[in-house]
Amino acid sequence: MQSIKTIYKIGPGPSSSHTFGPMMASKYINEQYPEATSFKITLFGSLALTGKGHLTDKIILKTLGASKCEIIFDMKTPVEHPNTMIIEVFDKDTKIAEHTFVSIGGGKIEIDGKKGNVDPEIYPHTKMDDIQVYCNERHLRLDQYIDEVEDSDFDSYMNQIFKQMLKTVNTGLKKTGVLPGSLKIDRVAHALHQSAQSCNDIQDKNSLLLSSYAYAANEQNASGGIVVTAPTMGSCGVLPSLVYHFYYDQNYPKKTIIQGLKVAGLIGNLIQTNATISGAKAGCQAEVGAACSMGAAFVAYCQLQNNEQIECAAEIGLEHHLGLTCDPVGGYVMIPCIERNAVAAQRSVDAARLAKYLRNVKKNRVSFDMVVQTMNLTGKKLPIELKESALGGLAVVVPEKA
């Protein structure tokens, strides 16, 4: 299993698989073929079906040069992976290269069937059950286990992630107006935050604050702003909202929050390793479901729950998102994505609270590893219409224009 750094990346929204991944593919082409004079890019599957709403074409044009590119949206040719693209490279009239890229989620790409910029496998375990046994034998907390494995600059890297999460939320809270695209959706994070300030009920206030932070991060993502994959850009509001809330409203120490982010990253890493974090491959259960699982583990860690309780929280967070479809209206990462992140942030808190007391009264029959396996199997059963294609679900029921 690779470093947790592969889970947390900083980049432009609105989609780690549809924006960040194609950007990385385009950068690879630029680096390999500086002499190229033009490019022909063919997008397939989900990249073709929802690429416009995810700004796939715009990031490619920006990276390779708009005057050099011809982009084709091929919605008919079947491909093995839904996030497949081919880039043909030309020097004047002569084709000098052709590469097939697959955007596998979280900003990662495969190039001609091989993983690009392969990160080393550094974790000795790939299952939560094995990690729990290892930690129990050595009396380690999950964050101590992570620190034992990761390299010397990991703390510095996580500090950057922490800062960007706060910055993304803070920037989004200050913005008003309408999000880009044909849906004409109003930004509401600022208004939600103002509403929270006037709440007399502390529970309502905290709930509204948390929601406003999730909206802020996701509205930044939807407008192409800089966000953190956690584990993807479509689910980039869950963890940052919790981080912002726990740091500024609940006054948790920075060190505790960063260690909690590490534990959340371990959960995301296990999901990525044993299943997928791609909405085009397994639906939104793989994105917001995974983010809720990570968020629940983060909350449980910050609240000083033990390793078994943290696992239980993560399991609850993912289990109750099983089967969640990815059906973006108009192909934009807006409806239902933005609100879904706010709901998942609330559920992260609830999952951690439930786990805290459940583990005191009964042994959990459903392990985290079992739920990850189930999510993967469920994702394979979901029809293409419900996996980031904008061909089913809300995408065909909700009109694009009000």
Side-chain angles (χ1 to χ4, degrees):
M1 191 162 71
Q2 297 170 342
S3 170
I4 288 169
K5 293 176 186 176
T6 65
I7 289 293
Y8 297 124
K9 301 189 193 74
I10 299 170
S15 171
S16 47
S17 60
H18 288 58
T19 314
F20 206 159
M23 179 184 74
M24 298 304 292
S26 301
K27 283 185 174 181
Y28 173 86
I29 292 295
N30 271 339
E31 291 167 2
Q32 295 296 314
Y33 306 101
E35 74 279 17
T37 57
S38 63
F39 311 95
K40 180 180 178 182
I41 303 98
T42 307
L43 305 175
F44 301 93
S46 181
L47 288 181
L49 290 163
T50 65
K52 288 283 187 182
H54 288 69
L55 309 184
T56 305
D57 52 340
K58 289 187 177 180
I59 199 68
I60 292 171
L61 293 173
K62 181 179 179 181
T63 309
L64 291 177
S67 62
K68 297 180 178 180
C69 295
E70 175 192 0
I71 299 179
I72 298 169
F73 293 83
D74 186 336
M75 302 181 188
K76 295 181 179 180
T77 303
V79 286
E80 186 174 343
H81 194 287
N83 292 335
T84 299
M85 59 186 286
I86 294 175
I87 300 182
E88 298 171 67
V89 186
F90 296 87
D91 182 2
K92 297 184 175 60
D93 295 328
T94 304
K95 182 167 142 178
I96 58 175
E98 176 178 320
H99 293 286
T100 299
F101 297 90
V102 174
S103 183
I104 60 176
K108 286 186 172 185
I109 57 171
E110 291 182 352
I111 306 168
D112 298 325
K114 299 177 182 178
K115 293 181 179 179
N117 299 321
V118 178
D119 294 291
E121 303 284 335
I122 64 172
Y123 280 85
H125 310 104
T126 59
K127 302 285 185 174
M128 177 59 85
D129 286 349
D130 296 332
I131 292 172
Q132 292 284 26
V133 170
Y134 182 88
C135 289
N136 286 338
E137 289 174 347
R138 291 160 179 78
H139 306 289
L140 294 173
R141 299 191 311 269
L142 289 175
D143 63 310
Q144 292 174 321
Y145 165 75
I146 295 163
D147 287 336
E148 185 178 277
V149 176
E150 295 283 351
D151 62 24
S152 58
D153 72 343
F154 187 55
D155 281 340
S156 175
Y157 185 88
M158 291 305 297
N159 188 54
Q160 293 176 36
I161 295 301
F162 167 76
K163 287 182 177 179
Q164 183 58 53
M165 284 184 171
L166 296 182
K167 183 177 180 180
T168 297
V169 172
N170 192 48
T171 302
L173 285 175
K174 295 174 182 176
K175 296 270 183 92
T176 57
V178 179
L179 293 171
S182 63
L183 296 181
K184 305 299 180 186
I185 295 175
D186 291 325
R187 287 178 176 263
V188 299
H190 180 74
L192 276 177
H193 192 254
Q194 285 187 317
S195 297
Q197 305 302 328
S198 62
C199 276
N200 293 321
D201 185 290
I202 189 63
Q203 188 170 351
D204 283 355
K205 181 175 183 177
N206 282 328
S207 179
L208 269 180
L209 285 171
L210 186 58
S211 293
S212 72
Y213 305 149
Y215 268 84
N218 280 94
E219 286 171 357
Q220 281 298 98
N221 180 63
S223 59
I226 303 298
V227 298
V228 177
T229 61
T232 67
M233 289 177 169
S235 60
C236 72
V238 180
L239 260 178
S241 66
L242 292 164
V243 166
Y244 200 93
H245 183 52
F246 273 54
Y247 187 59
Y248 286 118
D249 303 326
Q250 303 296 327
N251 299 312
Y252 278 78
K254 177 181 175 181
K255 180 172 177 55
T256 298
I257 289 175
I258 289 181
Q259 292 301 104
L261 274 174
K262 293 177 183 179
V263 173
L266 178 66
I267 296 300
N269 212 0
L270 287 166
I271 295 172
Q272 176 178 249
T273 300
N274 296 294
T276 180
I277 55 171
S278 169
K281 200 168 183 182
C284 202
Q285 59 172 354
E287 296 199 36
V288 168
C292 183
S293 185
M294 293 169 67
F298 168 83
V299 173
Y301 173 83
C302 290
Q303 294 177 344
L304 303 179
Q305 296 186 34
N306 62 37
N307 290 352
E308 288 73 24
Q309 289 169 316
I310 292 171
E311 177 187 349
C312 184
E315 177 269 313
I316 292 170
L318 182 57
E319 179 182 349
H320 301 290
H321 281 89
L322 290 177
L324 186 62
T325 60
C326 184
D327 47 356
V329 176
Y332 294 98
V333 191
M334 298 180 191
I335 301 173
C337 321
I338 298 174
E339 185 176 285
R340 185 169 283 173
N341 274 253
V343 172
Q346 307 284 345
R347 295 179 77 178
S348 295
V349 175
D350 291 339
R353 182 187 299 114
L354 186 57
K356 180 179 180 180
Y357 294 101
L358 271 180
R359 292 296 297 181
N360 291 333
V361 297
K362 77 177 186 74
K363 179 176 174 60
N364 205 15
R365 288 285 298 275
V366 182
S367 71
F368 174 76
D369 290 333
M370 290 176 185
V371 172
V372 173
Q373 181 184 6
T374 305
M375 187 269 278
N376 201 32
L377 292 171
T378 304
K380 291 176 181 178
K381 294 290 186 181
L382 285 176
I384 184 63
E385 289 82 5
L386 299 176
K387 291 192 286 190
E388 208 167 0
S389 64
L391 295 174
L394 288 172
V396 298
V397 174
V398 178
E400 284 192 44
K401 295 183 179 180

